[in-house]
Amino acid sequence: MLTIQQLKLPVSHTENELEKKIIKTLKIKKEELLSWSIRKQSLDARKKPDLFFVYTIDAEVKKESTVLKRVDHKIVMSTKRVPYTYLHTDNRDRLQRPVVVGSGPAGLFCAYYLARAGLSPLVIERGDDVDSRMKKVQSFWDGKALDTESNVQFGEGGAGTFSDGKLNTLVKDPAGRNLEVLRLFVECGAPDEILYVQKPHLGTDLLVTIVKNLRKKIEALGGEIRFRSALTGIHTEKGQLTGIEINHREQLSVSTLVLAVGHSARDTFSLLEKSGFSMQAKAFAVGLRIEHPQTLINQYQYGCREHETLGAAAYKLTHKAAGGRGVYSFCMCPGGYVVNASSEEGMLAVNGMSYQDRASKNANSAIIVTVTPDDYGNTGPLSGVEFQRGLERAAWRLGGGRIPLQLFGDFKENRKSTGLGQVTPCLKGDWSFANLRELLPAGISSALQEGITYFDRMIPGFSRDDAILTGVESRTSSPVRIERNAEMESSIRGVYPCGEGAGYAGGITSAAMDGLKIGEVIVKKVINFC
Ligand code: FAD
């Protein structure tokens, strides 16, 4: 296979124009080009409003060695793509049926791997199946009671089901897991373009279908998924897992358990601490969501207020504040919504989501600062969880149970907002005016103010007085790390911490990749026993 880099075309180009460019670059005739596919597409916006796509292309040609002799070797080279491989074992007796706790990306991808290997995993999920969950969440946003077991954080598909569905990750990937995760998403209903665009995204509406299709695949391969089934107890003997308790009543004999519980399973973290797991408090980040008109972001990125081909534009911003804290944008949702993402009574957390078309009139993003165990005012593995809870209780009180909202101009003046400006919120859930200064520690608020003001240098209008702030953004990543050794096992043998909740991933794709990785380790162990 030949790989061509740096093929540049205006964003409005046709497929035919791209093919012609490939043929020209390879100095071949049309009939010598057997097939081609896009490996990577990125946007070159340096000369806006003239925008270009830059491509890396894989091409199969007749007489590759002859073609290679006459092309520019700086941009064309011979390459191989090694496909990700699955292990299989017929010796399932060596291992009791493995149990996976949680059906987020980590749990689902791990279960898929185990099912493909022939190990018939059981997945237990505390929340509802994704269709029932969607209805529950919508009714919560409509003002009905929170279901603490099935909400934006809990239920089939995990935390990322209500999300923008951004799929990019910075995790290094010599094993090919990243591409395999994306390939499986495509098999389950995602568009092919997620395999090559620079910043792939799915959107909540599409994620629902994908999650259901992945569940069906796991079931077809012999796996089982039980909803409304929470892990409530862990039994051990001499440091080895012997069994689990489900929903405080059912006991199950288990020797292999994957803990893919996500970053919001606070009761489960307590259970693990009491059961003697080695865990530590870890750094994460907190802050507020900010909303701007999407046209403002498009203008900055594309040089025009709207772009038919490129859709709603994204941004990524960072700043080092005077006190030394890093301030940065996180989980940016172009054309998205801010959502009430709470999972505990009397506490309120926000996050962002979008649909596949990213068509809401606002861009939103978390603006956050890193907090470390030094900020938690307490010690112990769960001190970060208690810090989060303190902020979320304060957010709930400030908004009287609704999402507390303030304009940036009022945030600077330390006063409660009383009216909106030109920006009107795109929110899922009730909201009310508040003074968000009362929510966060003073050092964090001043770092956020400094950061937002600084970001105006990059995106003019970013610090406009009527930009909308909501809070609290507290579920950015796990406040806990559950230790695992080189064999990926926790301090309790037979238990494999996995994904974001365990502290080994941050985002949908990296959590899914960690799920595959744990699947590989478990299957290898079974094979090595044989
Ligand atoms: P989770 O997805 O959290 O899944 C854990 C699962 O375990 C849950 O379904 C939970 O119900 C279940 N569970 C917990 N405790 C128990 C128990 N005791 N018994 C049984 N089941 C249990 N990431 C991105 O990459 N891109 C985005 O655009 C993005 N947007 C987001 C938007 C929102 C609103 C939220 C909340 C998160 C977003 N994220 C995004 C983060 C992403 O969702 C997580 O990184 C990812 O889901 C982590 O995967 P996971 O499988 O490790 O955990």
Side-chain angles (χ1 to χ4, degrees):
M1 181 171 72
L2 294 177
T3 297
I4 316 164
Q5 291 175 328
Q6 299 295 328
L7 282 192
K8 194 165 158 181
L9 283 166
V11 292
S12 56
H13 75 83
T14 61
E15 193 175 310
N16 199 19
E17 283 164 343
L18 179 54
E19 188 171 281
K20 273 191 182 154
K21 185 121 188 170
I22 295 167
I23 290 167
K24 194 171 166 205
T25 309
L26 293 178
K27 299 180 182 165
I28 56 176
K29 295 195 185 100
K30 190 173 174 12
E31 52 277 17
E32 288 174 292
L33 180 64
L34 300 175
S35 65
W36 61 273
S37 61
I38 303 170
R39 186 184 276 226
K40 201 168 142 217
Q41 178 201 61
S42 43
L43 181 69
D44 181 350
R46 285 173 297 180
K47 294 192 178 138
K48 50 183 157 280
D50 295 329
L51 303 170
F52 300 89
F53 282 134
V54 181
Y55 289 98
T56 302
I57 300 287
D58 288 333
E60 296 287 353
V61 294
K62 285 184 190 163
K63 299 191 189 137
E64 183 178 307
S65 50
T66 320
V67 175
L68 252 184
K69 278 184 200 146
R70 50 179 192 248
V71 293
D72 179 354
H73 289 162
K74 284 203 247 19
I75 57 166
V76 183
M77 57 216 72
S78 177
T79 55
K80 265 199 192 116
R81 256 200 172 179
V82 185
Y84 179 77
T85 45
Y86 287 85
L87 297 169
H88 189 272
T89 174
D90 293 319
N91 202 338
R92 63 176 72 185
D93 297 342
R94 289 279 172 188
L95 192 82
Q96 280 170 329
R97 182 182 209 193
V99 175
V100 177
V101 188
S103 71
L108 284 176
F109 277 77
C110 184
Y112 176 76
Y113 194 98
L114 296 174
R116 256 189 89 145
L119 293 180
S120 314
L122 167 66
V123 180
I124 57 168
E125 166 55 58
R126 69 192 305 160
D128 286 308
D129 67 275
V130 73
D131 287 325
S132 317
R133 182 185 178 202
M134 293 296 277
K135 288 185 198 141
K136 277 269 161 58
V137 170
Q138 190 55 54
S139 89
F140 170 58
W141 287 340
D142 291 342
K144 304 265 165 32
L146 170 75
D147 182 332
T148 55
E149 295 299 292
S150 206
N151 45 55
V152 171
Q153 307 293 345
F154 297 156
E156 187 178 21
T161 307
F162 295 89
S163 80
D164 178 59
K166 282 175 284 297
L167 298 177
N168 42 316
T169 173
L170 298 174
V171 176
K172 293 215 167 41
D173 182 38
R177 296 184 193 108
N178 188 351
L179 190 60
E180 178 58 14
V181 166
L182 298 180
R183 197 197 59 74
L184 250 174
F185 275 133
V186 171
E187 243 183 59
C188 292
D192 282 353
E193 64 165 41
I194 67 161
L195 297 171
Y196 58 79
V197 296
Q198 199 176 8
K199 290 181 183 155
H201 119 100
L202 296 171
T204 293
D205 37 352
L206 201 54
L207 272 158
V208 170
T209 310
I210 292 169
V211 162
K212 271 192 278 192
N213 287 340
L214 189 49
R215 183 217 308 162
K216 284 178 198 154
K217 273 182 184 291
I218 295 167
E219 287 170 341
L221 289 162
E224 184 192 345
I225 303 190
R226 282 170 57 182
F227 298 108
R228 286 276 163 186
S229 302
L231 173 78
T232 51
I234 293 199
H235 309 303
T236 61
E237 244 179 68
K238 295 182 188 150
Q240 168 73 49
L241 175 77
T242 54
I244 60 167
E245 179 191 78
I246 300 173
N247 291 340
H248 298 287
R249 47 174 192 272
E250 184 183 344
Q251 310 300 326
L252 213 63
S253 178
V254 180
S255 59
T256 302
L257 185 73
V258 178
L259 281 175
V261 295
H263 56 35
S264 292
R266 294 165 176 175
D267 53 351
T268 316
F269 293 149
S270 291
L271 166 71
L272 299 179
E273 193 196 18
K274 284 189 202 116
S275 307
F277 282 74
S278 293
M279 298 159 72
Q280 295 146 14
K282 73 178 242 319
F284 64 106
V286 298
L288 302 170
R289 277 251 153 202
I290 191 162
E291 284 185 79
H292 297 97
Q294 182 61 50
T295 49
L296 182 125
I297 310 302
N298 293 348
Q299 184 68 45
Y300 155 72
Q301 292 287 27
Y302 304 149
C304 56
R305 288 166 63 83
E306 281 179 13
H307 198 289
E308 208 180 314
T309 313
L310 299 174
Y315 61 82
K316 198 168 171 51
L317 301 164
T318 57
H319 173 62
K320 182 105 170 182
R325 288 195 192 262
V327 185
Y328 52 101
S329 63
F330 174 77
C331 189
M332 199 262 145
C333 298
Y337 296 86
V338 175
V339 302
N340 186 333
S342 308
S343 61
E344 285 189 292
E345 293 288 1
M347 300 180 214
L348 195 143
V350 293
N351 215 305
M353 66 158 240
S354 60
Y355 297 106
Q356 202 200 0
D357 61 8
R358 286 179 163 169
S360 103
K361 62 184 192 303
N362 284 357
N364 76 65
S365 173
I367 304 295
I368 50 174
V369 299
T370 304
V371 286
T372 68
D374 290 342
D375 294 297
Y376 301 158
N378 219 325
T379 53
L382 302 186
S383 53
V385 171
E386 285 314 312
F387 180 74
Q388 275 179 325
R389 279 184 164 143
L391 293 177
E392 291 175 18
R393 274 190 205 105
W396 195 91
R397 274 197 304 269
L398 263 186
R402 302 186 192 92
I403 298 171
L405 178 151
Q406 186 179 27
L407 305 195
F408 182 59
D410 295 323
F411 183 77
K412 285 190 291 187
E413 298 299 328
N414 193 10
R415 65 181 176 222
K416 182 175 175 176
S417 292
T418 51
L420 298 168
Q422 284 181 356
V423 190
T424 51
C426 289
L427 288 179
K428 300 277 186 187
D430 283 349
W431 60 272
S432 63
F433 287 119
N435 181 2
L436 292 169
R437 285 266 175 194
E438 293 168 24
L439 176 60
L440 295 161
I444 294 180
S445 286
S446 60
L448 290 177
Q449 179 175 330
E450 189 187 319
I452 292 168
T453 307
Y454 177 83
F455 295 151
D456 204 88
R457 292 191 203 174
M458 288 91 162
I459 305 180
F462 198 89
S463 67
R464 55 193 283 171
D465 280 349
D466 64 351
I468 291 174
L469 298 176
T470 42
V472 60
E473 182 87 23
S474 48
R475 312 281 182 101
T476 51
S477 68
S478 187
V480 173
R481 171 163 288 115
I482 308 168
E483 279 179 24
R484 65 187 190 193
N485 62 19
E487 280 78 47
M488 306 285 156
E489 267 177 308
S490 70
S491 53
I492 304 293
R493 288 190 308 283
V495 180
Y496 296 82
C498 179
E500 177 144 18
Y504 298 97
I508 296 170
T509 304
S510 62
M513 287 163 70
D514 202 50
L516 289 180
K517 194 179 192 177
I518 295 296
E520 292 161 24
V521 170
I522 293 172
V523 176
K524 269 187 203 145
K525 201 168 167 186
V526 179
I527 291 171
N528 288 340
F529 267 130
C530 303

